[in-house]
Amino acid sequence: MDNSAAQAYWKENISTILKLLVIWFVASYGCGIIFLDELNSISFGGFKLGFWFAQQGSIYIFVILIFVYAKMMERLEEKYDIHE
Amino acid sequence: MELQGLIYLFVGLSFGLYILIAIWARAGSTKEFYVAGGGVHPIMNGMATGADWMSAASFISLAGIVSLKGSDGGAYLMGWTGGYVLLAMLLAPYLRKFGKFTVPDFIGDRYYSNLARTVAVICVIFISFTYVAGQMRGVGIVFSRFLQVDINTGVIIGMVIVFIYAVLGGMKGITYTQVAQYCVMIFAFTVPAIFLSLQVTNTFLPQLGFGGKIPFAFDDGIRMIDSGTYLLHALDTSMTDLGFAAYTASHSGTWNVFMLTTALMLGTAGLPHVIVRFFTTPTVKGARISAGWALVFIAILYTQIPAVAAFARLNLIKNLQNVDYAKFVNNEVKRSDGSINRGSWFKTWEDSGLIAWNDRNGDGKIQVASGAAFTGAKGKPVFNGKTGKDGVKLTSNPAAPVNMTAAEEKANGKIINEVYLDRDIIVLANPEIAGLPNWVIAIIAAGGLAAALSTAAGLLLSISTAVSHDLIGQVLMKDPETGKSKLSEKAELFAARLAAVVAIIIAGYLGIYPPGFVAQVVAFAFGLAAASFFPAIVLGIFYKRMNKEGAIAGMLVGLIFTFSYIVYFVFMGGDKADYLWGIAPTGIGTIGMIIHFIVAIVVSAMTPPPPTEIQELVERIRIPRGAGAASAH
């Protein structure tokens, strides 16, 4: 693999990670901590939204994020033909 | 069958299983000992990581903490799962491509320095021993309650079991034992959780029951809570009635929750015994997927924890409030529906010293509310060895009596607290409090032990590997000409086993003389991991210019800062008013991590860049192709 392709791959890798980490941050720190009280004024079923994010919702989102990341990286590696 | 007999049976069966697996999967080579041969399937590896990860703190203490802290417990739930996202994206794939055995291996090679390697070994030992002390204390608690032995004997039994499979089997033995332990643990947590969910909310899945409605009415001491109220709403109401903060509202402040969550997230991503699990998958792709599976298996437990915490809190108020002590502990209290509110658990835990009652208004009934029923440090009771009326254990530090009858208290809208409850009993006593069948209680014992033992084994292995492979093999016995270890493989394997034995003995000592609460001690290990390894590894991968001077300075400053802050404020009685920006010691790892990043980058900018071959190494680990097996030096 030549150097410029390696660099392009690395750049796309970083941008993938950054995008997903923004979601990670919003779901946990954003909804579960910083805006907890504001979101708690929204209820669904027996839950207050902020509390739900802090105790359950963010965990579901974390799981999805890792599998999405694995899938995106797999595609990226095929694009640059560096898959194993 | 009697409860005690069932406990012996379940614990005995599960231990037998672990030992059989250990003998079947014993390690024959250093590669098998360190990374299980590097060919573990991602799902299997995910399950083992889950068991490795979920410790006595997760299984025993976490629901208790969440139950007591309510909304703020989210810091632990998010912190201990969100770190896997960082692990999957920022560390696991690159470390797998790097393909060696340990975290100090990576640090030593990436920073081309045996000093860096030695600092990393010291960090591993620090972090792992801090953590393992909590596990051993957990083993002691479970044994003392369920096997009716004293805590010291319990710790020694735990040491023997870990000795058999960690020393014989190394990583290979541990991986397969952990898969079995995961199954035992998840079964043991889920079964009672389902029972509780059905009982408290008529819903099968605890995750959903958490948002369900209670099918019964109960008296919280101040007012009746109607049947059909949402569980969380009922909790908010009754807890405010009793003088606590509302369950779903944050009360320790956004800032501290933020700091604690960050320390736990980055600590998770920097814990050596977790990182090393990603060296055991066959490919880079496998390492990424494996992190996903690990989190799936962890989430199965972690999404139940807040539900169990809420059920427990409600059950405590519902079953304890205003019951007659003498009748309660003799299982003679009847509920309105005619069923018996069995209270013998209250007596059992009183005997272990984790519950205490001080009848402050002299009405012979138990009242739960906020505030301490005993005076002195944290309201913990100090038993004086005497017993009072109805067999209640007396203490030398009861809080003053009050001159109000229960009826006057209620008319006043304020109940005076009479009960001390240790948070570690929430999960262990929960099924008894709820009156679940004996076999359910017995499997909890087996599950708690599985959780503590699997994590202890993983930690002990990272300590012994750091000592035998990195310290002895790569630093002390390195041949300067070939750059390889002078030890034969057989000798290194022997050294690894010997180091494991020594580590187990020290861990046992720490279990018998524990430095603090289970969960608290664990939180410190995370602070240290966040402040030492996470930045060093991330910079090593993402910042090519990072050199050894920066890395060594960063690790040392991060570790020393975090360690001294914790020791000063927790063990040397530092005053809360002197907290740096009001940050509690459990969250200080976040600041340690930031200091590490800053120091590392500044020092590295002022010193020469790393040699070309190191920059090429960094290029190489960024590209997944050609990971191959984890290789020796």
Side-chain angles (χ1 to χ4, degrees):
Chain A
M1 160 171 223
D2 66 58
N3 210 15
S4 64
Q7 274 180 8
Y9 161 79
W10 186 245
K11 233 178 126 184
E12 278 201 56
N13 176 31
I14 301 274
S15 102
T16 308
I17 294 174
L18 285 180
K19 271 182 228 153
L20 294 172
L21 285 184
V22 167
I23 304 177
W24 164 83
F25 186 86
V26 170
S28 50
Y29 289 91
C31 301
I33 302 176
I34 303 171
F35 298 110
L36 178 91
D37 292 332
E38 286 78 1
L39 288 176
N40 270 349
S41 59
I42 306 169
S43 294
F44 71 104
F47 290 113
K48 289 179 179 169
L49 191 58
F51 179 81
W52 181 78
F53 263 106
Q55 303 227 322
Q56 270 193 332
S58 53
I59 302 179
Y60 298 129
I61 292 169
F62 296 153
V63 171
I64 297 168
L65 280 179
I66 299 184
F67 283 99
V68 168
Y69 164 71
K71 197 80 222 160
M72 285 172 86
M73 289 308 288
E74 222 173 289
R75 264 196 222 135
L76 193 61
E77 278 151 22
E78 265 164 41
K79 180 175 155 192
Y80 286 95
D81 193 31
I82 46 170
H83 50 87
E84 292 154 280
Chain B
M1 203 166 166
E2 280 298 303
L3 177 59
Q4 204 52 47
L6 282 166
I7 291 175
Y8 286 132
L9 180 72
F10 283 29
V11 171
L13 280 178
S14 60
F15 278 19
L17 178 69
Y18 308 152
I19 290 170
L20 276 181
I21 293 174
I23 295 170
W24 166 73
R26 64 185 182 281
S29 65
T30 45
K31 202 178 144 200
E32 285 186 341
F33 194 92
Y34 294 146
V35 292
V40 181
H41 189 276
I43 295 187
M44 201 74 125
N45 194 50
M47 220 181 260
T49 310
D52 203 6
W53 169 245
M54 290 188 288
S55 57
S58 292
F59 192 92
I60 301 170
S61 303
L62 187 51
I65 299 175
V66 176
S67 194
L68 289 188
K69 288 186 175 254
S71 177
D72 293 339
Y76 290 92
L77 296 163
M78 287 188 286
W80 282 342
T81 50
Y84 274 82
V85 178
L86 300 176
L87 196 54
M89 296 181 192
L90 302 179
L91 278 76
Y94 314 105
L95 289 173
R96 178 62 195 88
K97 174 66 197 297
F98 171 72
K100 295 286 173 58
F101 292 150
T102 65
V103 175
D105 240 353
F106 176 79
I107 303 276
D109 283 13
R110 166 63 180 84
Y111 296 116
Y112 47 98
S113 148
N114 265 344
L115 181 59
R117 190 188 299 269
T118 312
V119 171
V121 170
I122 294 168
C123 293
V124 169
I125 292 175
F126 253 35
I127 295 165
S128 303
F129 271 126
T130 317
Y131 202 159
V132 90
Q135 302 311 309
M136 283 301 178
R137 158 88 176 147
V139 172
I141 290 179
V142 182
F143 271 113
S144 74
R145 167 60 186 86
F146 289 111
L147 298 189
Q148 317 270 304
V149 295
D150 65 42
I151 293 189
N152 296 0
T153 318
V155 170
I156 291 165
I157 300 176
M159 285 165 67
V160 172
I161 302 285
V162 174
F163 173 84
I164 294 174
Y165 65 78
V167 174
L168 263 186
M171 192 58 151
K172 195 177 168 205
I174 284 182
T175 300
Y176 293 104
T177 322
Q178 279 171 340
V179 170
Q181 281 163 335
Y182 177 80
C183 299
V184 170
M185 187 193 313
I186 203 71
F187 186 70
F189 200 90
T190 307
V191 169
I194 289 174
F195 268 94
L196 284 168
S197 186
L198 286 169
Q199 201 183 50
V200 179
T201 64
N202 270 338
T203 312
F204 185 77
L205 279 180
Q207 284 90 341
L208 298 178
F210 192 28
K213 292 174 177 172
I214 52 170
F216 47 75
F218 73 98
D219 182 1
D220 71 3
I222 299 283
R223 77 181 85 199
M224 282 300 286
I225 306 280
D226 294 332
S227 155
T229 312
Y230 279 118
L231 165 73
L232 291 169
H233 184 67
L235 262 177
D236 277 349
T237 313
S238 57
M239 285 182 56
T240 344
D241 280 349
L242 298 175
F244 297 98
Y247 194 75
T248 58
S250 171
H251 42 96
S252 61
T254 304
W255 173 243
N256 259 318
V257 174
F258 194 98
M259 291 320 247
L260 175 59
T261 308
T262 308
L264 296 177
M265 285 213 191
L266 303 180
T268 299
L271 275 182
H273 76 287
V274 176
I275 294 176
V276 80
R277 293 233 54 104
F278 297 98
F279 289 100
T280 59
T281 58
T283 59
V284 172
K285 194 171 132 191
R288 283 195 290 255
I289 284 284
S290 179
W293 282 114
L295 190 56
V296 167
F297 291 119
I298 292 164
I300 294 175
L301 191 102
Y302 268 57
T303 49
Q304 292 184 50
I305 284 176
V308 167
F311 300 152
R313 198 68 202 236
L314 191 88
N315 270 337
L316 276 176
I317 301 171
K318 174 179 159 244
N319 292 340
L320 270 185
Q321 195 65 279
N322 280 328
V323 296
D324 183 287
Y325 178 84
K327 283 188 182 161
F328 186 56
V329 296
N330 288 319
N331 296 332
E332 287 164 3
V333 173
K334 272 202 179 138
R335 295 195 186 89
S336 51
D337 63 359
S339 64
I340 297 213
N341 181 5
R342 299 171 63 86
S344 46
W345 60 271
F346 197 87
K347 189 86 222 150
T348 329
W349 289 98
E350 209 184 326
D351 290 341
S352 340
L354 298 177
I355 276 185
W357 177 56
N358 168 21
D359 190 10
R360 294 172 69 188
N361 59 10
D363 66 349
K365 289 179 175 173
I366 299 168
Q367 269 97 30
V368 225
S370 84
F374 299 88
T375 56
K378 289 177 182 167
K380 279 188 103 166
V382 180
F383 297 102
N384 61 12
K386 295 182 190 131
T387 48
K389 189 167 161 277
D390 304 318
V392 64
K393 284 177 83 176
L394 295 180
T395 62
S396 54
N397 64 334
V402 288
N403 296 321
M404 260 193 284
T405 63
E408 283 165 345
E409 279 180 28
K410 184 172 175 170
N412 235 345
K414 190 179 187 318
I415 306 253
I416 311 290
N417 185 38
E418 301 183 338
V419 181
Y420 166 81
L421 282 167
D422 187 293
R423 65 182 180 199
D424 283 343
I425 70 166
I426 295 278
V427 164
L428 299 178
N430 213 0
E432 290 174 279
I433 297 171
L436 299 186
N438 280 349
W439 64 270
V440 176
I441 299 168
I443 57 171
I444 291 228
L449 288 169
L453 292 174
S454 58
T455 305
L459 289 162
L460 290 166
L461 191 77
S462 35
I463 297 170
S464 67
T465 312
V467 171
S468 67
H469 180 71
D470 294 293
L471 198 61
I472 301 179
Q474 294 296 316
V475 178
L476 298 177
M477 301 292 285
K478 189 170 178 165
D479 188 328
E481 274 163 37
T482 61
K484 290 197 170 154
S485 168
K486 281 191 276 189
L487 286 181
S488 67
E489 177 162 324
K490 216 175 146 191
E492 194 177 312
L493 196 56
F494 178 75
R497 289 196 161 124
L498 194 67
V501 172
V502 175
I504 288 172
I505 293 170
I506 299 176
Y509 176 85
L510 292 172
I512 292 170
Y513 303 100
F517 273 117
V518 175
Q520 225 175 7
V521 168
V522 166
F524 297 156
F526 284 82
L528 297 179
S532 57
F533 283 133
F534 182 76
I537 300 174
V538 167
L539 287 170
I541 297 161
F542 291 87
Y543 186 46
K544 235 194 291 180
R545 175 64 177 71
M546 195 58 191
N547 62 15
K548 68 173 174 188
E549 290 83 0
I552 295 169
M555 279 193 286
L556 282 178
V557 172
L559 190 75
I560 292 170
F561 169 80
T562 311
F563 185 79
S564 355
Y565 193 89
I566 291 172
V567 167
Y568 178 73
F569 283 108
V570 178
F571 300 107
M572 289 169 56
D575 186 25
K576 248 186 173 171
D578 297 335
Y579 281 175
L580 177 69
W581 300 316
I583 301 168
T586 41
I588 199 64
T590 306
I591 302 294
M593 179 270 301
I594 294 170
I595 296 179
H596 180 157
F597 268 113
I598 294 172
V599 168
I601 291 169
V602 169
V603 170
S604 137
M606 295 188 309
T607 41
T612 332
E613 66 264 26
I614 295 300
Q615 306 204 21
E616 280 162 8
L617 169 81
V618 178
E619 297 279 349
R620 249 188 346 266
I621 57 175
R622 289 177 176 185
I623 307 294
R625 172 169 284 179
S631 57
H633 287 267

